[in-house]
Amino acid sequence: GGHYLAKGYVFVSMNYRLVPDVNPVQQAQDVARALRFVQTKAQAWGGDAQRVVLMGHSAGAHLISLVHVDPAFTEDAGAAPPQAAVSLDSGAYDVSAIMKRSHSPFFDHVFGKDKNFWRTASPIHRIVGTPAPMLLVCSSRRKESCAQSRDFQAALAKKKAVAQVAAEDLSHREININLGLKGAYTQRVDAFLRAQGLP
């Protein structure tokens, strides 16, 4: 966060309830409610409620992607749509496709056995209208991540949305902890943010 604070950003860390108490769609609802809270507090914090970027890593990337592409989440929470989103190495843009082939038992725990829910929990199947720009960062070291990112990018393009895929030769963990450190990866994310009129 220090890298972005120095640029003049207001950096806010969100939280959400966990499985099994709630499912991933309810978690996305939590994120949308947190977004509304940030927007209501932005001016008091020296920020701009109209210039909020959602960013999340791993499961957080899945959740911010759901919120970003389907305005039902923000509408239900009374939030305004974010200006842009940066998804950091989600491997779950298409839950339906994952569950129909060999996958980690972790996905069974999170997404269950209901095929209809798999679709409901898949950002690729929830794109409504033309979402604001997205940057889809993926680890080229992971089997699924970049392939799913490119499929999601193609689905967004069909809706006339701007989406970039940034394949990084970093581990899943490094995608999270290296952002903000000097180097090409941080520069790439910063270039996307500048393209949205941000610092």
Side-chain angles (χ1 to χ4, degrees):
H3 172 76
Y4 292 102
L5 290 173
K7 287 177 170 287
Y9 285 80
V10 175
F11 188 92
V12 182
S13 179
M14 296 179 178
N15 207 348
Y16 49 85
R17 293 169 293 167
L18 300 177
V19 173
D21 294 333
V22 294
N23 64 46
V25 171
Q26 291 169 311
Q27 291 176 323
Q29 292 166 349
D30 287 350
V31 170
R33 285 191 287 269
L35 173 62
R36 180 182 182 276
F37 179 82
V38 168
Q39 290 167 340
T40 61
K41 295 291 186 181
Q43 186 174 6
W45 293 340
D48 184 345
Q50 303 303 313
R51 303 176 74 201
V52 178
V53 175
L54 284 178
M55 183 183 294
H57 173 255
S58 195
H62 171 239
L63 299 180
I64 65 104
S65 296
L66 282 170
V67 172
H68 189 68
V69 302
D70 188 345
F73 286 104
T74 49
E75 288 169 4
D76 288 349
Q83 181 180 350
V86 179
S87 177
L88 303 175
D89 210 30
S90 171
Y93 294 119
D94 191 343
V95 177
S96 297
I98 292 169
M99 301 302 282
K100 290 175 183 175
R101 55 180 180 258
S102 179
H103 57 268
S104 165
F106 173 74
F107 283 91
D108 295 312
H109 172 67
V110 173
F111 296 109
K113 297 181 178 181
D114 184 344
K115 293 180 181 179
N116 291 326
F117 182 74
W118 296 346
R119 190 174 180 88
T120 300
S122 299
I124 200 168
H125 295 303
R126 294 200 62 151
I127 303 169
V128 176
T130 302
M134 288 195 78
L135 177 63
L136 312 174
V137 178
C138 61
S139 168
S140 60
R141 300 180 189 177
R142 296 178 71 204
K143 183 178 179 181
E144 294 257 354
S145 182
C146 287
Q148 282 219 24
S149 294
R150 293 187 184 100
D151 287 346
F152 190 40
Q153 178 191 39
L156 286 162
K158 287 180 181 177
K159 297 286 191 172
K160 312 273 189 221
V162 175
Q164 302 172 24
V165 173
E168 300 293 339
D169 184 19
L170 297 167
S171 70
H172 181 63
R173 180 173 179 268
E174 289 168 341
I175 291 286
N176 189 37
I177 65 174
N178 286 17
L179 184 59
L181 301 180
K182 289 183 179 180
Y185 167 40
T186 296
Q187 290 172 3
R188 195 166 186 179
V189 174
D190 287 356
F192 170 78
L193 295 173
R194 283 196 303 274
Q196 315 317 315
L198 297 164

